[in-house]
Amino acid sequence: MNATTSTNTNGTTEAEKTSFADKAHVQLDKSKEAIADAAGRSKEAISGAAKSTTAAVKKKPGTTAAIVAGAAAAIAGAAFGASKLIDKKKTGAKTKSASGTGSTSGGKSASSKSGSTASKSNSK
């Protein structure tokens, strides 16, 4: 048997393996070309955006500073809000685990408060 007609244990011939490898190699070459082309287009787009941004900053530096300050304030506000939510979740988990034994006293104080407000509204 020669290399092109021999078969292995799973029934695939060497010719089929070679054909598959050749197809994979061709596909790989096409992919490399496509990636190189996309990288070139991306480089051109980024370069153009950087040039136009630089020109805009030089033309109106005050506007640029205001935009940067607004963006920084928005980011800081989001970070502050996120930290408060995280703190609230942490304290909520601690409170739930600690309040498992004294839940009846909390219910009584809430009902007495609501009862006092009801009596005030009836007296008017």
Side-chain angles (χ1 to χ4, degrees):
M1 290 179 134
N2 60 22
T4 58
T5 58
S6 65
T7 58
N8 60 11
T9 57
N10 64 3
T12 306
T13 64
E14 291 296 322
E16 290 173 346
K17 286 183 180 180
T18 305
S19 174
F20 179 75
D22 289 341
K23 289 177 184 176
H25 184 68
V26 169
Q27 196 65 24
L28 182 64
D29 287 342
K30 287 180 182 178
S31 298
K32 285 181 183 178
E33 291 173 11
I35 289 172
D37 185 45
R41 287 192 315 256
S42 297
K43 184 178 178 181
E44 291 172 9
I46 291 170
S47 176
K51 286 178 183 177
S52 64
T53 302
T54 303
V57 168
K58 287 180 180 178
K59 191 174 181 180
K60 295 184 180 185
T63 304
T64 304
I67 291 170
V68 169
I75 292 169
F80 178 76
S83 68
K84 289 296 180 183
L85 285 175
I86 291 170
D87 289 344
K88 187 176 181 179
K89 285 183 180 180
K90 285 181 182 177
T91 56
K94 289 178 184 176
T95 306
K96 285 181 182 178
S97 63
S99 67
T101 58
S103 62
T104 56
S105 64
K108 289 180 182 177
S109 64
S111 63
S112 64
K113 286 181 183 177
S114 63
S116 64
T117 55
S119 62
K120 288 180 184 177
S121 63
N122 289 337
S123 63
K124 289 182 182 179

